[in-house]
Amino acid sequence: MSPTTARVYNFSSGPAVMPVPVLEQIQRDLVTLPGVGMSILEVSHRSKVFEDVIEQAEADIRALANIPANYKVLFLQGGASLQFSMVPLNILTAGTTADYIVTGSWTDKAAKEARRVGSVNVAATTEGDKFCRIPSQGELTLTANAAYVHITSNNTIEGTQWHTLPDVGAVPLVSDASSDLFCRPIDIARYGLIYAGAQKNLGPSGATLVIIREDLLARSTKSLHTMLNYAVHAENASLYNTPPCFAIYTLGLVMRWLRDRGGLVEVGTVNQRKAGKLYAELDRTGYWRPTARTQDRSLMNVTFRLATEGLESKFVKESTSAGFDGLKGHRSVGGMRASIYNAFPEEGVDALVEFMREFERKNG
Ligand SMILES: *Cc1c(COP(=O)(O)O)cnc(C)c1O
């Protein structure tokens, strides 16, 4: 078997499946980057070679998402979890309040870090419904002149996604888009700040993408620790210190792959089709129990249960033996979860649907 045909269907929530052509290019160019005589793991981050890599990655991101000129694109470290702190440290200015719309355990964690910095208002929470849904506009208790409103655009663990953004007026909208950034077209101008750990939908772990509107950089005070200061990273074009060079290089290749596939409109169409096939199977007979409210279902993380935990462990075990990896749900919620990010192949969804039908036939 070639390395490619030996691959399993990887439904992991993150780190997650990568595009095979990207892996093949990394493999091909690893020992020497063409014309460089060194690998990407060995070049200085101050070299022209790396400057080209990071500039190309940024250019591809800007083209892909049509990012307006008044936004900075930053490549940081520390994962989305460090952004839980950096966001309030930089833009929750003294004497103001930040609104958090709590739709899952990741927003809960983000709000917890913000409370260490300043005043936080929970503008809504769907915890009472086990986070199976996204709140409506009418449920939001927004603070007038809030420093920002924070959402988690896709709730990786609970399997819900914002399909219509909340109306927050002139207040900057901040989104943790770790598990759905670039899964479809995005109107960047609706946001003040977007962040995403790369290891779900963008590339490998180690890099964190931050897209921030320039006027917000003025809120970063000089007294902040240097490495936690967005303005410092922006002034230094993400090269204040040694960045995660390999992760940025790889993320760049993934962005190029997305562009080659036709960009976010095309990618969004494929993602709709993939998720649609899986939800259709989940709804087909009533045997499966999808957990998210229908209109809030995620295109990226499809969560479902079975009648008993015994059946669920049987499903996880048998699916793993059949070459479907990572279908066990998050330990905090149980059940099953199929993460089907951009790089997850459509034939893997078809194969899972086939497997589910067979499982239902045998265990119905
Ligand atoms: C995975 C995830 C995180 C945590 O990301 P790290 O990079 O591990 O810090 C935060 N938010 C969301 C929505 C996630 O899916």
Side-chain angles (χ1 to χ4, degrees), residues 78-82 84 106 152 154 156 176 178-179 197 199-200:
S81 299
L82 185 60
F84 296 168
W106 288 119
T152 305
N154 183 72
T156 324
D176 173 1
S178 291
S179 49
Q199 70 275 17
K200 280 146 187 161

Side-chain angles (χ1 to χ4, degrees), residues 135-327:
S136 66
Q137 185 73 28
E139 287 174 82
L140 308 182
T141 315
L142 298 170
T143 307
N145 302 314
Y148 59 89
V149 178
H150 183 288
I151 63 167
T152 305
S153 57
N154 183 72
N155 297 282
T156 324
I157 295 173
E158 295 83 2
T160 62
Q161 187 174 20
W162 287 84
H163 295 299
T164 309
L165 290 178
D167 180 1
V168 297
V171 173
L173 182 63
V174 173
S175 179
D176 173 1
S178 291
S179 49
D180 71 343
L181 189 60
F182 304 156
C183 79
R184 58 187 171 192
I186 179 169
D187 182 4
I188 301 289
R190 296 281 311 268
Y191 301 86
L193 192 159
I194 302 168
Y195 63 90
Q199 70 275 17
K200 280 146 187 161
N201 211 22
L202 305 176
S205 63
T208 308
L209 190 65
V210 173
I211 303 168
I212 180 170
R213 212 175 61 211
E214 271 169 0
D215 61 287
L216 293 173
L217 294 171
R219 295 192 192 177
S220 302
T221 61
K222 292 249 183 299
S223 61
L224 268 177
H225 288 259
T226 311
M227 278 296 287
L228 300 178
N229 189 319
Y230 288 134
V232 169
H233 290 295
E235 276 156 28
N236 291 278
S238 306
L239 292 167
Y240 172 77
N241 74 324
T242 317
C245 299
F246 184 70
I248 294 169
Y249 163 77
T250 306
L251 189 153
L253 296 181
V254 175
M255 297 301 110
R256 181 41 67 99
W257 175 78
L258 289 174
R259 287 190 72 183
D260 290 346
R261 298 190 82 198
L264 299 187
V265 172
E266 180 56 27
V267 166
T269 304
V270 174
N271 284 332
Q272 286 283 359
R273 201 165 61 223
K274 278 156 51 184
K277 285 178 178 178
L278 206 38
Y279 286 117
E281 182 59 22
L282 288 171
D283 290 337
R284 195 170 59 86
T285 61
Y287 179 72
W288 305 94
R289 304 179 176 196
T291 60
R293 186 170 68 164
T294 310
Q295 66 264 42
D296 302 323
R297 287 172 170 178
S298 168
L299 295 177
M300 299 279 97
N301 309 98
V302 178
T303 51
F304 55 101
R305 307 210 58 151
L306 275 164
T308 67
E309 287 188 8
L311 266 182
E312 290 174 349
S313 24
K314 188 162 195 248
F315 178 80
V316 170
K317 194 161 159 252
E318 291 182 5
S319 61
T320 308
S321 317
F324 303 93
D325 195 74
L327 284 168

